[in-house]
Amino acid sequence: MKQSIKSILGAIILFALAFFSAIFPISCSSAGNLGLVIVRPLEKAPKLCDIRTKSATEIVCEFSAQVNVVKLFAVRVSENGEEIGDEAECFGSCDQNGVLTIELAERTEIGQKYKMSGTVENSAKSTLSFSFFFLGMNDHRCNLVLSEIRDGYSSKKQECEFIEVYAVTSGNTAGIEIFSATDGEEKTYRFPAIEVNAGDFITVHLRSLSENCVDELGNTLNLNQKISDTNSKSRDLFKEGNTAHLGGDADVILLRDCETKEVLDALCYAKKSKIENNDWKKKECATAAEKATAAGVWDGKGIDRAFNADGFTQTHSLARQNIPALKNASFPYPNGAQCWIVTANKNEITPGKPNSSSAKK
């Protein structure tokens, strides 16, 4: 009877082990000469937690645990993700904290789009296959600052909102973006990869009002002579689409690093009535102003520290007045309400040229 019960229990245990091993991955190990088999679940597949570009030849991936590389390949792709050319094998090494440093086969081009694909495994041979896009790192970035802003749109006059920036230093514009707290992330504008010289003005037109609008990416700067508010001696760029931009009554505009979101420059403005109410109203404006102040590129996060933009319309721009002094300054560059004016009239709006000092009375 006892022998029968032992046989039944043994059969139940063997059935249970077979059942659970079919559902849950397991691994086995023998405990010495005891004849005992220890059954334990396999480690879960590693997770990819973070990605960052370290240099023009290195990508860093952070995993949930230490991994070994099975395969890694990189290929250049178009803006819509189509592969250009052949994949190149890459190599990587991972430390005990799960930080994998990938060595690219060749130096990436500034601002160009690439795709990384690979498979890694943990100590239990559980694998993870992944792919992601990244941009060729800009290790020669220029220092840009906001210079002039114009709100307003007229289909009749073919005029629209623009943001002019000024290059304090020479370098490349790749990896820099313009963000408006009122517009939100979905309307962020990213600069293409362009080599610029210190002293250059770049006008970003926030709409493309004609099929003839052409981004001036090279040395030819007179491609848009028939387009309003362009300048044949400076660079003009155009944002796709024809939707409204900027907050007329209040806004916080940031120049940022595309990847890290580091704030590089800012303009916080509001109409007098908004300032007197002492409330940004829009949470995104308050958050952006706080980030600008923390970065040292604006001198106060409250709306009471914003520039009084009364009169800011299609015929009156906001113009920065300390641009000439910036060549002798260091980053973060001096900036605040005292550095800006509302220009006197339409004739004082100067996209692509030094700003007017004639203020609206």
Side-chain angles (χ1 to χ4, degrees), residues 217-274:
L217 305 178
N219 295 323
T220 304
L221 304 180
N222 61 353
L223 302 178
N224 296 282
Q225 294 184 69
K226 296 183 180 180
I227 307 298
S228 296
D229 298 318
T230 60
N231 190 308
S232 61
K233 295 184 179 179
S234 67
R235 196 176 304 277
D236 291 284
L237 303 173
F238 298 85
K239 194 175 189 301
E240 292 183 1
N242 185 15
T243 57
H245 287 270
L246 307 180
D249 291 339
D251 204 348
V252 178
I253 300 170
L254 304 178
L255 281 181
R256 302 188 307 195
D257 181 288
C258 292
E259 184 174 348
T260 66
K261 304 305 178 185
E262 174 194 4
V263 179
L264 308 174
D265 196 43
L267 168 59
C268 305
Y269 69 84
K271 296 292 179 67
K272 185 179 179 181
S273 59
K274 299 289 184 182

Side-chain angles (χ1 to χ4, degrees), residues 47-208:
K47 294 181 180 179
L48 179 55
C49 303
D50 191 28
I51 304 162
R52 63 181 183 275
T53 306
K54 186 177 180 181
S55 70
T57 57
E58 290 180 306
I59 304 292
V60 174
C61 297
E62 292 187 13
F63 290 89
S64 54
Q66 187 172 11
V67 296
N68 296 314
V69 172
V70 178
K71 60 181 179 180
L72 287 170
F73 292 93
V75 62
R76 183 175 171 179
V77 296
S78 64
E79 279 302 312
N80 59 11
E82 295 180 0
E83 296 185 5
I84 302 172
D86 299 324
E87 289 185 324
E89 186 176 11
C90 306
F91 301 92
S93 60
C94 186
D95 65 21
Q96 61 183 6
N97 296 317
V99 179
L100 173 66
T101 302
I102 301 173
E103 297 285 342
L104 303 175
E106 57 186 32
R107 184 182 178 87
T108 54
E109 294 182 30
I110 293 175
Q112 295 301 315
K113 192 175 183 179
Y114 296 83
K115 182 174 75 172
M116 174 69 67
S117 303
T119 301
V120 296
E121 63 181 12
N122 59 17
S123 58
K125 303 300 181 181
S126 294
T127 62
L128 171 72
S129 294
F130 61 89
S131 67
F132 57 84
F133 296 108
F134 66 96
L135 297 177
M137 186 175 183
N138 183 3
D139 51 7
H140 180 50
R141 188 175 73 187
C142 60
N143 288 348
L144 298 180
V145 296
L146 297 166
S147 174
E148 186 174 12
I149 318 292
R150 201 273 299 282
D151 190 22
Y153 160 72
S154 170
S155 58
K156 182 178 180 180
K157 297 180 180 179
Q158 288 290 285
E159 295 176 348
C160 71
E161 310 91 331
F162 72 72
I163 295 177
E164 177 194 74
V165 296
Y166 175 81
V168 182
T169 63
S170 300
N172 199 289
T173 58
I176 302 175
E177 65 184 14
I178 299 174
F179 166 80
S180 157
T182 297
D183 290 346
E185 294 289 351
E186 65 277 5
K187 289 187 177 181
T188 296
Y189 173 83
R190 292 192 171 186
F191 283 91
I194 307 170
E195 287 291 327
V196 299
N197 297 316
D200 284 357
F201 288 95
I202 306 170
T203 304
V204 179
H205 305 264
L206 297 179
R207 307 189 197 209
S208 293

